[in-house]
Amino acid sequence: MLVGPKTADDAAVYRISDELALIQTVDFFTPVVDDPYQFGAIAAANSLSDVYAMGGRPVLALNVVGFPRGSDVTPMSMLAEILRGGAEKAREAGIDIVGGHTVDDQEPKYGLCVTGFVHPKAYWTNIGGAAGDRLVLTKPIGTGIVTTAMKAGTAGEDAMRSAVTAMATLNRAAAEVGRKVGVRACTDITGFGLLGHLREMLGGVGARIRLSAVPILPGARELAAKGAIPGGSRRNKESLDRIVNYHDGIDEVDRLLLCDAQTSGGLLFAVEPGRTTDLLSGLSEAGVPAAAIGELVAEPEGRIEVAP
Ligand code: CO
Ligand code: CO
Ligand code: CO
């Protein structure tokens, strides 16, 4: 076992030979958007992301499905659309969904169990970055806030479209650039939010983030200010408060944004300073929106400082 349950990593990594290691992960959740096809695509992109976050390539996947039998509100045609969204996203990732399992469940749920491959010396863990490494984030944050507002009917067209596009985007291209340039550590941003997943990268180092450098979905800050905050994002912020120093002037809305629980968020890389320009230009050439949002610092307590 190269990566097991002891570290809070994205997936398990198991060595098969000197040349090959297996990556294994499973993720599923309840609908984040009304459109069943989009939900399927987002859930699949999210599940595949944990393989990319380990520096690996997915090779096959299995469906994990909960769906109510004989319901008028959610007809079986809706399930077919969820599965079509997942299958097409998997195909975009270059793999097939080769089976799966469905249970009768009042609340629909969908996701994938994904198997991937990586060279046993080339996988990325969360911890592995050193003081001075730059932190590079792909995808804007704020999907928890925007999807909460969508459910309440208060999100604007632009916010909704941007959030759905971001969530359904594979982290494949981002991971390919990361492998080509060479990064030191990586994780993906999901339920614990940007600061929560950043915390998982702090093994004997601290971090400094510049709020103004963090890409945020259009409309997310306004919707958060109007109260569209998921319960999970509030809980994230509370559990992080004792390790985060926010500079004065960073208000509660911005603090909640940085802790906002994401669905199918981007990759967060720790990269040597000298490779940062190559990473950012490679991501830009690959059409991946990305930003250098801060750096790892010499701070053994694993604290996070947030500057304006
Ligand atoms: Co993950
Ligand atoms: Co996961
Ligand atoms: Co990881």
Side-chain angles (χ1 to χ4, degrees), residues 10 25-27 46 50 188 190:
D10 300 290
T25 176
V26 61
D27 252 306
N46 178 75
D50 279 328
D188 61 345
T190 54

Side-chain angles (χ1 to χ4, degrees), residues 217-236:
L217 282 171
R221 186 176 270 121
E222 293 72 18
L223 292 167
K226 285 183 197 153
I229 314 285
S233 305
R234 288 192 194 280
R235 286 192 292 277
N236 286 343

